[in-house]
Amino acid sequence: MLMRTGWPAVLRTHHLFLTLEPEQFERVAREVRLVRVPAGECFVQAGEPADAFFVVAEGSVKLSLFAANGDEKVLDIIAPGQSFAEALLFMQAPVFPVSATAIADSIVLRVPSVPFCAMLAENRAACFKMLAHLSARLHVQVREIEALTLENARQRLIRFLLARVGTDCKGTSIAHTGEPRNVLASHLSMQPETFSRLIKALTDEGMIRPDGRDFVIEDLARLQRA
Amino acid sequence: MLMRTGWPAVLRTHHLFLTLEPEQFERVAREVRLVRVPAGECFVQAGEPADAFFVVAEGSVKLSLFAANGDEKVLDIIAPGQSFAEALLFMQAPVFPVSATAIADSIVLRVPSVPFCAMLAENRAACFKMLAHLSARLHVQVREIEALTLENARQRLIRFLLARVGTDCKGTSIAHTGEPRNVLASHLSMQPETFSRLIKALTDEGMIRPDGRDFVIEDLARLQRA
DNA sequence: ACGCCGTCTTGATGCATATCAAGGGCAACG
DNA sequence: CGTTGCCCTTGATATGCATCAAGACGGCGT
């Protein structure tokens, strides 16, 4: 459980808030509400009118789209410290384009649009931060479209693993993923079965080794070459 | 050929410039350069450092990505009056993520970053316009990802046609496309063969009728239902 | 420890779309 | 007026991934 003094710190270290003057920060933070979301609960439905954006303080949140037939596509997985739906602040009739569901028990901070926009209006630097933020997000989306159209499932999986490699305490490379595999599969736009088969293939080829929800990288160089 | 007095008008009516004070507009416009691009010429290569963005004044420009094997994906087709690469203004080390190629003989306006950013820094309203602009673009990208992952080729084609319906002088609905079909196919992320077959299928079903580079909508209601 | 349930794997089959190959229309050009 | 080249179409075939259908594994409560 987060201390009452804990969550403003999470907000403070978010890069959209990092450089604010103390009283500007204070004015926005006053209106922020902490929301506890149990694992599996959908706390934002696509199509709802939006009057706030969110910062994830603890846990993990998936953003997804649904087809008419119920098919789900996980657009993004939001880790603690990251935000989502900021882009809606600047839309004419803001409506959430995606649904947000907690994957693990989570704590999210709800930042209402009005005070945040008011703060932006009087802080040029924060405006530019926000522009840079949206711009970076656009860039990520372009890469996503590139991956979907020019790469196959195997390449997408490899790129995903490489994007998550970190170094283990013992010095071995590990791709750390805290999410269930069907969520990862949807994030990569493939079926769980395909995900499973590809993991098996890469394992048989000696490039990786599954380890619970993580993947040990056995041959980083070869993985990068593919 | 555009008059020397013509191109500032195009710039002026672009929504990022529409509400500027005359002297602010003037200061940016002074630095804008007109570039003539013959059909087929690629005037921006992905990977190049970027120090400007572009507004298309005449003709038509495609933005595309290339795979290692040479496969091309047309991300977007820019019509006169529209701009592209504005998001790069706010990146740390701006590099074009896509290539830009004229489809028809075109005239593009090159708007250098530095004076434009300087203008933004002293115009709060323009900043918010830009935020709204990027935000809208993000939204479009989300729809694009949705289309790629949750819809099949036929649905994407139908949605594309519907997005282009306009009314003809004689009152019949027409989807107007000025681009070669292989470009359209790539924009819709399918092969030209698939595009051709789908057009044939919709024609056989009596929903549309091809007419040169346009498509006459024979049964709008049925098209919308699919 | 047992059985239950949800998640993950594995195999068999099917389908949408890509790929390969060949012909047809049309405009530019000699 | 034929030729050339380019797009577009059409058909035959290939393939990657989805779908369907069973198991296997693993956590969890009783």
Side-chain angles (χ1 to χ4, degrees):
Chain A
M1 170 165 168
L2 219 53
M3 302 275 80
R4 266 175 59 243
T5 52
W7 69 259
V10 172
L11 205 60
R12 200 49 165 141
T13 53
H14 188 281
H15 58 304
L16 288 178
F17 293 89
L18 199 56
T19 55
L20 295 185
E21 298 301 325
E23 34 88 31
Q24 287 184 318
F25 176 74
E26 191 44 47
R27 232 174 327 135
V28 175
R30 242 200 319 269
E31 309 284 340
V32 171
R33 289 292 166 265
L34 179 150
V35 184
R36 288 167 201 287
V37 188
E41 183 170 315
C42 174
F43 61 100
V44 168
Q45 299 258 61
E48 283 180 343
D51 63 347
F53 72 94
F54 297 89
V55 176
V56 175
E58 262 187 34
S60 183
V61 168
K62 68 173 177 185
L63 304 183
S64 37
L65 293 165
F66 292 91
N69 60 13
D71 277 5
E72 177 184 14
K73 154 70 183 170
V74 175
L75 259 188
D76 209 352
I77 297 172
I78 313 293
Q82 300 186 310
S83 53
F84 64 93
E86 327 83 338
L88 296 171
L89 291 173
F90 311 103
M91 305 249 314
Q92 54 308 359
V95 157
F96 290 110
V98 299
S99 301
T101 308
I103 300 178
D105 291 340
S106 300
I107 293 175
V108 302
L109 307 175
R110 189 190 141 85
V111 185
S113 310
V114 174
F116 189 81
C117 276
M119 180 277 288
L120 274 188
E122 52 187 58
N123 186 328
R124 190 154 302 142
C127 257
F128 271 73
K129 279 257 171 191
M130 181 57 95
L131 284 167
H133 188 68
L134 294 188
S135 157
R137 195 148 283 198
L138 264 169
H139 206 180
V140 170
Q141 304 257 50
V142 169
R143 299 286 312 291
E144 170 92 16
I145 293 176
E146 178 172 16
L148 285 172
T149 54
L150 297 175
E151 293 179 346
N152 61 20
R154 170 184 240 252
Q155 289 170 311
R156 290 202 300 278
L157 172 57
I158 289 174
R159 180 186 299 284
F160 172 81
L161 290 174
L162 289 175
R164 298 243 177 166
V165 283
T167 304
D168 177 87
C169 43
K170 297 191 288 293
T172 53
S173 297
I174 282 201
H176 187 73
T177 79
E179 327 307 335
R181 297 197 169 182
N182 53 16
V183 173
L184 295 181
S186 173
H187 188 200
L188 292 169
S189 298
M190 62 184 75
Q191 297 307 117
E193 292 95 328
T194 302
F195 185 89
S196 180
R197 280 186 251 269
L198 289 173
I199 288 295
K200 180 168 160 50
L202 293 179
T203 304
D204 289 350
E205 293 168 36
M207 294 178 178
I208 64 172
R209 182 163 48 79
D211 175 20
R213 282 190 167 171
D214 298 340
F215 300 92
V216 178
I217 310 298
E218 300 271 24
D219 189 341
L220 184 60
R222 198 139 52 90
L223 204 59
Q224 284 166 334
R225 235 172 297 131
Chain B
M1 168 164 170
L2 218 53
M3 301 274 82
R4 267 175 58 244
T5 53
W7 69 259
V10 172
L11 205 60
R12 199 50 167 139
T13 53
H14 188 282
H15 60 303
L16 287 178
F17 293 89
L18 200 56
T19 54
L20 295 186
E21 298 301 324
E23 34 88 34
Q24 286 184 319
F25 176 74
E26 192 44 46
R27 232 174 327 135
V28 176
R30 242 202 317 269
E31 308 285 340
V32 171
R33 289 292 166 264
L34 180 150
V35 184
R36 288 166 200 287
V37 188
E41 183 170 314
C42 173
F43 61 101
V44 168
Q45 300 257 61
E48 283 180 344
D51 62 348
F53 72 94
F54 296 90
V55 176
V56 175
E58 262 187 33
S60 183
V61 169
K62 69 173 178 185
L63 305 183
S64 37
L65 294 165
F66 293 90
N69 61 12
D71 278 5
E72 178 185 11
K73 153 71 182 169
V74 175
L75 259 188
D76 207 352
I77 297 172
I78 313 293
Q82 300 185 311
S83 54
F84 64 92
E86 326 83 340
L88 296 171
L89 291 173
F90 312 104
M91 305 250 313
Q92 54 309 357
V95 157
F96 290 110
V98 300
S99 300
T101 309
I103 300 178
D105 290 341
S106 301
I107 293 176
V108 301
L109 307 176
R110 190 190 140 85
V111 184
S113 310
V114 173
F116 188 81
C117 277
M119 182 277 290
L120 275 188
E122 50 187 58
N123 186 328
R124 189 155 301 140
C127 257
F128 271 73
K129 280 255 171 196
M130 182 57 97
L131 284 167
H133 188 69
L134 295 189
S135 157
R137 196 149 280 201
L138 264 169
H139 205 178
V140 169
Q141 304 257 51
V142 170
R143 299 286 313 291
E144 169 93 15
I145 293 176
E146 178 173 13
L148 285 171
T149 53
L150 297 175
E151 293 178 348
N152 62 19
R154 171 183 239 252
Q155 290 171 310
R156 291 201 302 275
L157 173 57
I158 289 175
R159 180 186 298 284
F160 173 80
L161 290 174
L162 289 175
R164 296 244 178 166
V165 282
T167 304
D168 177 88
C169 44
K170 297 191 287 295
T172 53
S173 296
I174 282 201
H176 188 74
T177 77
E179 326 307 336
R181 297 197 169 183
N182 53 17
V183 173
L184 296 181
S186 173
H187 188 200
L188 292 169
S189 298
M190 62 185 77
Q191 297 306 117
E193 293 95 329
T194 302
F195 184 89
S196 181
R197 281 186 251 267
L198 288 173
I199 288 295
K200 180 168 161 47
L202 293 179
T203 304
D204 290 350
E205 293 169 36
M207 294 179 177
I208 64 171
R209 182 162 49 76
D211 175 20
R213 282 190 168 172
D214 298 341
F215 300 92
V216 179
I217 310 297
E218 301 269 25
D219 190 340
L220 184 59
R222 197 138 52 88
L223 203 60
Q224 284 167 333
R225 234 173 297 132

